[in-house]
Amino acid sequence: MKYTKKSYLCTVKTTKRYTPNELSDAAKIIRSGGLIAFPTETVYGLGADATTEIASRKIYEAKGRPSDNPFIVHVHNVEEVEKVAHLCSVSKKIFETFSPGPITVVLKKKPIICDTATAGLSSVGVRIPSHPVAREFLKICGVPIAAPSANISGKLSPTTADMVFRDLNGKIDGIIESDDIECGLESTVVGVFDGDVRLFRTGSISIEQLEECLGQKITVADRVKENEAPQSPGQKHKHYQPAIPLTLVENVSEISPAGGAQGGRVGTDCKPAPAERVGVMTLQNFNAPKNWDVHLFKDTEDYARNLYRTMDEMAQSGCVGIIAVLPSEAGVGRAIRNRLMRAAS
């Protein structure tokens, strides 16, 4: 494997695509300092050895990711969590209740995790994914894996191998193909510091579930000021943006088939010409022009699971813009709203 003097990235012309039966080959790439995208139950992650500075730098370079945005470290089980971070009774209860699964806990890190993987912070976000391919891959790798979403920074998080390939072909060593993403949204992230619990990012596991589990109120801290360092992905920088303009509305009644959506909740007003195609994402029935692409989700779980894939498909199919009807804030609806608000801002 060759690396240029000016770049830490590999010089492969085409990124190799691995099947789930080739995990040992992909694990060798990780152990040799390379980059492998792999599926989790949330989105595809771009993995590298979290104990190695150069491997972690490659992630930043491949994604074009701001250097102050830390990674989440993925491990195989709770015993592995204790090797990379300091657990307390509160964090142990969170892991015991929700892991393996879409929950990340930010804790004080141990020296085994390199400073580049945490953007120089003394804390590290750790999670145990539940996706069977991810779990087997982590077990075979035998090292903690730093893995933000496998996309160009700020763009849609990928939920298919094809989305990863389109963004990162030639920039990473390989992709493990397994298009059976269960959640479709990035993990819920909570920080646990001296018993105090803060919600850094909403996800499939709701704040209500966490509060019920812990028997205490949780502080929402999903935004930081420009001069503050983020302690978790999703707090500061632009994220989740599709390739075409996105407008948000609260109800389908705000959409006019003749004039698109005007005065939407967030985003640029969608004012297509009559012949132009518009994508609509909604949980409510909507009588749209025949040339529009309306995706009616079955429920909020379906909305979450297919959010990024649907926006990507609409952009790829020639839509000039997307109108998203926001779900209610109940349950995973809060996380969907969070992603859409960030994507349209």
Side-chain angles (χ1 to χ4, degrees):
M1 191 178 303
K2 296 181 179 179
Y3 296 90
T4 66
K5 292 181 179 179
K6 294 182 179 180
S7 169
Y8 290 108
L9 294 181
C10 67
T11 57
V12 297
K13 291 183 179 179
T14 302
T15 295
K16 181 175 174 58
R17 299 175 79 138
Y18 294 92
T19 71
N21 294 324
E22 300 173 300
L23 297 184
S24 293
D25 292 338
K28 290 176 183 177
I29 299 294
I30 291 289
R31 290 195 296 270
S32 65
L35 301 182
I36 294 290
F38 63 99
T40 76
E41 74 280 13
T42 59
V43 300
Y44 262 82
L46 179 55
D49 184 348
T51 69
T52 306
E53 298 285 352
I54 291 179
S56 294
R57 289 174 192 168
K58 291 176 190 175
I59 296 178
Y60 284 107
E61 189 174 350
K63 286 175 57 69
R65 185 180 177 91
S67 61
D68 65 343
N69 201 5
F71 304 143
I72 290 170
V73 171
H74 296 61
V75 296
H76 180 252
N77 53 35
V78 176
E79 289 73 24
E80 296 297 317
V81 174
E82 295 189 271
K83 294 179 182 179
V84 303
H86 296 274
L87 282 168
C88 63
S89 59
V90 174
S91 56
K92 282 183 179 179
K93 189 170 186 179
I94 294 173
F95 278 115
E96 288 169 358
T97 305
F98 299 108
S99 287
I103 186 77
T104 296
V105 185
V106 179
L107 304 161
K108 185 178 180 182
K109 83 178 185 78
K110 290 185 177 178
I112 187 174
I113 301 300
C114 71
D115 289 340
T116 299
T118 62
L121 296 172
S122 60
S123 59
V124 61
V126 188
R127 92 175 189 94
I128 307 167
S130 62
H131 194 291
V133 172
R135 288 181 59 73
E136 184 63 18
F137 183 54
L138 288 164
K139 185 177 181 179
I140 295 172
C141 285
V143 294
I145 296 182
S149 55
N151 60 337
I152 297 299
S153 186
K155 302 304 180 182
L156 289 177
S157 297
T159 53
T160 70
D162 286 342
M163 290 174 71
V164 179
F165 191 79
R166 200 182 315 131
D167 261 10
L168 299 177
N169 180 30
K171 295 183 178 182
I172 65 176
D173 299 281
I175 304 168
I176 299 170
E177 297 185 301
S178 181
D179 293 345
D180 53 350
I181 304 298
E182 180 182 353
C183 300
L185 297 181
E186 299 80 0
S187 62
T188 301
V189 183
V190 293
V192 180
F193 304 97
D194 297 325
D196 177 48
V197 183
R198 283 171 273 172
L199 180 70
F200 291 145
R201 184 173 70 189
T202 58
S204 299
I205 295 172
S206 68
I207 189 171
E208 292 85 1
Q209 288 175 292
L210 287 161
E211 288 179 338
E212 181 179 358
C213 165
L214 299 175
Q216 67 182 79
K217 282 291 183 182
I218 295 175
T219 303
V220 176
D222 59 355
R223 296 275 183 168
V224 295
K225 298 177 181 178
E226 281 301 316
N227 60 347
E228 291 180 330
Q231 293 180 293
S232 159
Q235 280 188 297
K236 180 178 181 180
H237 299 285
K238 291 181 179 180
H239 291 281
Y240 326 121
Q241 295 183 325
I244 53 178
L246 172 66
T247 298
L248 309 183
V249 297
E250 294 285 354
N251 196 286
V252 291
S253 62
E254 299 175 56
I255 305 173
S256 167
Q262 300 182 24
R265 178 72 175 79
V266 173
T268 306
D269 288 347
C270 183
K271 301 175 182 178
E276 289 182 318
R277 193 176 184 198
V278 174
V280 178
M281 301 190 302
T282 179
L283 287 164
Q284 306 165 20
N285 286 311
F286 174 63
N287 186 21
K290 290 184 178 180
N291 64 316
W292 283 26
D293 183 358
V294 178
H295 192 109
L296 181 65
F297 297 106
K298 294 180 293 185
D299 50 36
T300 51
E301 286 72 23
D302 183 40
Y303 203 154
R305 185 181 308 111
N306 292 292
L307 174 64
Y308 297 139
R309 183 199 296 253
T310 302
M311 286 197 284
D312 179 65
E313 289 175 348
M314 287 175 172
Q316 294 295 314
S317 68
C319 291
V320 298
I322 300 170
I323 301 171
V325 183
L326 293 165
S328 71
E329 292 199 23
V332 74
R334 179 183 283 112
I336 298 170
R337 291 175 69 97
N338 169 270
R339 302 307 192 272
L340 287 171
M341 297 282 277
R342 295 296 297 271
S345 63

